[in-house]
Amino acid sequence: MIECREYPRIPMDMLVSFSGTNKTDMREGTMFDLSARGCAVTSMSSVQPGSAVRILIRATDLGSPITIESAAVRWSESWEFGVEFLGLSEIDQRRLQRLLEAASTD
C-alpha cells in the first residue's frame, strides 16, 4: 500500500512530554514517527481524539526541548496516538525543521 502524504514521516525514537490544556499534568511518552505537521507517540497515558495537548520534544542534540504549544489529537489506539501540530513559534519551527533534516540523512 502506498501512502500519499503532504509531509513525509520519519521514524524516530525520542522522548516527549505532553500535557492537556492545564499544562501542569505532564505525562511522558516516546515519539516514534515525526513530520513537519505532526507526530505519533506511544505512552502509558491514554488520550482521546479531539483533545488539545502541548508537547515538548526532547531532542538532546538541540539543547532545550522543541515546544509545540498547541496540537490536536487526531487518532488514538491502545497506547498510541497521533497529533497534528497547530501552534509553535518560528524558532521552534526552525528547530523542528533542523531535527527532521538531520533525521532524514541518518
Side-chain angles (χ1 to χ4, degrees):
M1 179 169 83
I2 297 174
E3 284 191 67
C4 296
R5 296 191 173 270
E6 185 176 358
Y7 300 97
R9 292 183 175 192
I10 297 173
M12 292 274 183
D13 184 15
M14 192 168 291
L15 293 176
V16 296
S17 298
F18 61 96
S19 64
T21 53
N22 64 9
K23 299 182 184 177
T24 59
D25 182 25
M26 291 301 281
R27 295 173 272 174
E28 305 295 316
T30 302
M31 179 175 61
F32 63 89
D33 198 8
L34 179 66
S35 78
R37 296 291 299 156
C39 69
V41 175
T42 183
S43 174
M44 295 304 288
S45 300
S46 63
V47 294
Q48 297 300 313
S51 300
V53 292
R54 178 176 185 254
I55 299 175
L56 302 177
I57 300 172
R58 296 195 225 148
T60 54
D61 51 337
L62 293 179
S64 62
I66 297 170
T67 303
I68 312 299
E69 287 295 338
S70 173
V73 178
R74 297 300 185 206
W75 61 268
S76 178
E77 209 172 273
S78 299
W79 302 108
E80 298 178 352
F81 62 95
V83 299
E84 177 185 0
F85 302 153
L86 301 175
L88 64 160
S89 70
E90 285 185 38
I91 291 170
D92 281 316
Q93 180 66 45
R94 286 193 301 268
R95 296 173 73 226
L96 176 63
Q97 192 58 46
R98 282 198 311 265
L99 176 61
L100 286 164
E101 288 168 2
S104 65
T105 60
D106 287 347

